[in-house]
Amino acid sequence: MIELQHLTKRFATKAGTLVALQDISLTIQDGDIFGIIGMSGAGKSTLVRCINMLEKPDEGSVIVNGRKMETLDARGLREARREIAMIFQQFNLLMQRNCLKNVCFPMELAGVPKDKAEARARELLELVGLPDKAESYPAQLSGGQKQRVAIARALATDPKVLLCDEATSALDPNTTHAILQLIQNINKELGITVVIITHQMSVVEQVCQNVAILDAGKVVEQGSVAEIFSNPKTPAARRLVFPAGAPQGELPAGHRLVRVAFNGTQTTDKPLVASLAIECGALVSIVAADTRIVNGQTLGSMLLALPDNADEAEKAIAYIRTYPGLTYEEVQA
Amino acid sequence: MEFLFASDEWQVLLDNLPNLPFATWESFYATAISTILAMVVGLPLGVLLVAGEKDGVLPLPGWLMTLLNAVINLLRSVPFLILMIAVLPLSMVVLGTSIGTPASIIPLFIASFPFVSRLVETSLREVDGGVIEAAQSMGATPLQIIIKVMIPESLPSLIANATIAMTTILGYSAMAGIIGGGGLGQIAINYGYYRYKYLIMVVATVLLVIMVQIFQSIGTWLAVRCDKRLRK
Ligand SMILES: Nc1ncnc2c1ncn2[C@@H]1O[C@H](COP(=O)(O)OP(=O)(O)OP(=O)(O)O)[C@@H](O)[C@H]1O
Ligand SMILES: [Mg+2]
């Protein structure tokens, strides 16, 4: 379990003190895939770097598997870090070592005998799908392949936690998908707790169970992915969940607008807009829609323009209110 | 170019021809040994210059870093000619003589290790901070980071810079000929400068140029060969 308690981190800059993290409290359960999402500069990297003390928090506590990280001495910290592996956006492989030696590297640091380390490294390269690249150098690999080697390297010391800082941000969508799938498999098969830092909602959607939304150094929302996605409450969360958002400037004037958010429990064989038309005779038009299927459930939101007729509009609202699996709110044009 | 047609020029060259191989050897070994000594001292110093910084892997007290930088800058700013004369007494104490090729190694070393420290520093700074951070995240000790990450990752650059150091030291060693340091430099100065025999001076200089070319070619070849960042 990873517990962050009242974490605060400040940076001294020329312009004054910059509060990168402010009173962050989070709990990440064992075996979870936990997403931390936020806009650029929100403090995501700083947060994840506090977990393994690459960044020392100014206040608060980081407890990983019962170890209070900020109280450890240099030696204790090195030992704790062997259980907390990390992968990076820029892969950070050793360019002068071949893949096998890269995967051996953390074992070398820990004093594992060479032949044992190499045997294990070959197993891990097999696990990440690159058994034939053992003798290749990182410069000879594609980005996706480099990240696979980095994942194999991260797994070499049998960590309990895998921290991923924008691990797929340098990759194309297909490769991103494949790497996330690999991370998901590792989580399932090895039971490793995964923390994924990203600014892409699609990444959280694909693999995360729980998510925290970071905005300007604060956690503004946290909960299960389905919960947050279906009903983002804060402006920061809405910006992330509905990047397209409601096109405020172009809203058709003179209509009542309703935003409906699906929370993933409705039956998909009963489409809302069609039902509105058939069952209560209200013809609504879709102004904006951003829905997606996550873990087999429909999530997201739609912006609907209600009929001009006031009675029909009221009827539509009454219908929407009783419709299962969604929340709604009226939006001012 | 009249000197090419003067018979005494050719006579001096012929007389000295048997000395040239040995002089070449003297120049080579003074350079090689000085370079090795300068690397032995300059490499750790260069490592300290990078690792000892405030946000380095092995932060050292600020005053120590300031002192280290000041001493290196001071030694680097003394012209070699003056340094050479200044350390004559030291050569007397250490080797019992201040002339000859072994004696020239002392000023060569003192003049070049600060230079080598800076070259090493430059090479080590090229190592990507992300890679060092990755090693830290795996629980590497500062020493492990230096030995297993910083130095191997910058090896091609270190070799290229060692080559620059060696060719520069070869140039200095020729200057050491002024104080009787032996080698091709001494032949060039003794005949060319003191006795106006230009032909032999030109020949000695050409030999030095050829040595620089050879060092540089071997160095470049090694640096490229060991660099795994290049796709092959
Ligand atoms: N070492 C540092 N010194 C000073 N300021 C820093 C330092 N590291 C980060 N910051 C500042 O802290 C804030 C958060 O940075 P951080 O790198 O955590 O953001 P991020 O959410 O990871 O952004 P991105 O998505 O762009 O990677 C930024 O304003 C950044 O400028
Ligand atoms: Mg970041």
Side-chain angles (χ1 to χ4, degrees):
Chain A
M1 197 161 81
I2 303 172
E3 277 179 276
L4 311 181
Q5 299 171 342
H6 306 292
L7 215 59
T8 294
K9 173 75 192 176
R10 301 182 196 94
F11 289 112
T13 63
K14 284 197 192 79
T17 310
L18 188 146
V19 184
L21 298 176
Q22 196 175 346
D23 195 24
I24 303 257
S25 295
L26 278 181
T27 302
I28 301 172
Q29 298 296 340
D30 282 342
D32 199 357
I33 303 186
F34 194 97
I36 296 172
I37 184 165
M39 301 285 184
S40 185
K44 308 179 295 291
S45 297
T46 309
L47 179 58
V48 78
R49 288 156 51 81
C50 280
I51 296 178
N52 61 5
M53 291 288 133
L54 282 177
E55 211 77 78
K56 306 266 183 269
D58 293 306
E59 283 162 35
S61 224
V62 178
I63 304 164
V64 182
N65 298 323
R67 262 194 270 220
K68 219 169 175 172
M69 297 294 286
E70 74 278 4
T71 62
L72 298 174
D73 59 2
R75 192 199 178 90
L77 185 58
R78 283 198 293 271
E79 268 162 31
R81 280 177 175 169
R82 298 215 167 108
E83 296 193 351
I84 310 171
M86 190 165 182
I87 57 174
F88 305 84
Q89 179 172 1
Q90 295 308 328
F91 322 121
N92 293 345
L93 295 174
L94 294 159
M95 298 305 281
Q96 304 293 350
R97 285 184 174 225
N98 66 24
C99 295
L100 186 73
K101 295 277 185 232
N102 260 291
V103 181
C104 284
F105 181 65
M107 295 186 269
E108 211 175 296
L109 297 177
V112 177
K114 193 164 174 259
D115 48 341
K116 240 175 138 178
E118 287 196 359
R120 174 89 180 114
R122 284 189 195 279
E123 276 173 30
L124 288 165
L125 284 173
E126 180 103 36
L127 176 80
V128 299
L130 291 175
D132 52 334
K133 296 291 183 192
E135 267 71 42
S136 301
Y137 286 89
Q140 298 165 312
L141 303 182
S142 72
Q145 289 171 329
K146 281 184 206 160
Q147 198 57 289
R148 284 172 190 271
V149 175
I151 290 171
R153 182 176 70 171
L155 297 177
T157 45
D158 295 316
K160 305 225 169 26
V161 175
L162 178 63
L163 307 176
C164 314
D165 188 0
E166 302 273 7
T168 57
S169 298
L171 307 174
D172 67 50
N174 287 338
T175 315
T176 295
H177 189 85
I179 293 288
L180 290 176
Q181 210 141 43
L182 176 64
I183 291 174
Q184 204 164 24
N185 288 344
I186 286 165
N187 165 264
K188 276 204 193 103
E189 281 160 32
L190 308 177
I192 293 175
T193 310
V194 181
V195 181
I196 291 186
I197 299 292
T198 181
H199 60 266
Q200 291 170 297
M201 219 56 213
S202 56
V203 168
V204 174
E205 257 170 47
Q206 192 189 330
V207 291
C208 295
Q209 289 147 22
N210 292 292
V211 64
I213 294 176
L214 204 60
D215 184 50
K218 291 186 198 134
V219 172
V220 292
E221 266 183 66
Q222 60 170 313
S224 78
V225 171
E227 225 172 274
I228 303 277
F229 273 42
S230 60
N231 198 8
K233 296 187 191 73
T234 57
R238 277 163 201 247
R239 267 203 310 278
L240 285 160
V241 176
F242 312 120
Q248 292 293 341
E250 302 155 28
L251 287 180
H255 290 280
R256 287 176 70 186
L257 296 171
V258 167
R259 186 201 300 278
V260 297
F262 299 97
N263 60 21
T265 54
Q266 83 280 12
T267 43
T268 37
D269 54 342
K270 201 175 171 219
L272 173 68
V273 177
S275 308
L276 270 168
I278 296 167
E279 294 186 11
C280 78
L283 301 177
V284 302
S285 51
I286 300 173
V287 179
D290 191 351
T291 58
R292 58 197 99 202
I293 310 284
V294 179
N295 302 329
Q297 300 178 324
T298 306
L299 296 177
S301 74
M302 265 185 212
L303 193 60
L304 303 176
L306 299 179
D308 288 338
N309 182 304
D311 283 350
E312 275 181 41
E314 275 314 317
K315 259 167 72 187
I317 289 200
Y319 184 82
I320 291 170
R321 191 181 297 138
T322 56
Y323 198 86
L326 56 77
T327 54
Y328 84 99
E329 61 179 339
E330 202 150 337
V331 183
Q332 239 45 60
Chain B
M1 291 302 244
E2 310 91 79
F3 69 84
L4 284 178
F5 307 102
S7 63
D8 55 337
E9 291 269 4
W10 289 93
Q11 193 55 51
V12 171
L13 178 63
L14 274 180
D15 289 346
N16 277 286
L17 224 40
N19 297 333
L20 286 177
F22 183 67
T24 307
W25 162 249
E26 276 185 328
S27 287
F28 172 74
Y29 99 72
T31 303
I33 291 180
S34 304
T35 307
I36 291 168
L37 290 177
M39 285 301 279
V40 166
V41 175
L43 187 66
L45 283 180
V47 166
L48 287 186
L49 285 173
V50 179
E53 284 196 318
K54 240 191 358 276
D55 48 1
V57 296
L58 190 69
L60 294 175
W63 62 267
L64 190 60
M65 294 304 290
T66 310
L67 184 72
L68 191 60
N69 274 294
V71 169
I72 287 173
N73 289 343
L74 183 79
L75 283 173
R76 284 205 58 202
S77 56
V78 179
F80 181 62
L81 204 62
I82 292 168
L83 188 96
M84 212 163 54
I85 295 161
V87 298
L88 283 177
L90 184 66
S91 304
M92 274 310 279
V93 173
V94 176
L95 298 169
T97 173
S98 62
I99 54 164
T101 306
S104 75
I105 290 174
I106 291 180
L108 283 176
F109 161 70
I110 293 175
S112 50
F113 84 80
F115 172 57
V116 169
S117 313
R118 288 290 180 212
L119 289 176
V120 169
E121 179 189 3
T122 315
S123 290
L124 295 180
R125 284 196 197 285
E126 285 167 27
V127 177
D128 182 10
V131 177
I132 292 172
E133 189 153 274
Q136 278 172 331
S137 79
M138 292 173 212
T141 63
L143 198 64
Q144 282 176 322
I145 293 176
I146 290 165
I147 291 174
K148 290 177 185 288
V149 180
M150 288 167 64
I151 293 176
E153 285 294 294
S154 58
L155 192 61
S157 169
L158 283 170
I159 291 174
N161 275 333
T163 308
I164 292 178
M166 195 160 177
T167 51
T168 306
I169 292 170
L170 181 64
Y172 283 169
S173 86
M175 248 193 274
I178 295 173
I179 55 153
L184 291 169
Q186 186 161 2
I187 289 184
I189 284 163
N190 280 354
Y191 290 94
Y193 187 72
Y194 295 127
R195 290 202 249 150
Y196 309 108
K197 294 291 176 278
Y198 294 123
L199 186 60
I200 181 131
M201 184 181 80
V202 168
V203 170
T205 307
V206 166
L207 283 172
L208 283 168
V209 169
I210 291 173
M211 281 173 82
V212 169
Q213 297 290 341
I214 293 174
F215 291 168
Q216 190 60 57
S217 306
I218 293 176
T220 305
W221 177 78
L222 268 178
V224 170
R225 210 185 113 91
C226 80
D227 194 349
K228 307 301 184 195
R229 283 173 301 185
L230 309 167
R231 287 170 184 251
K232 267 171 277 194

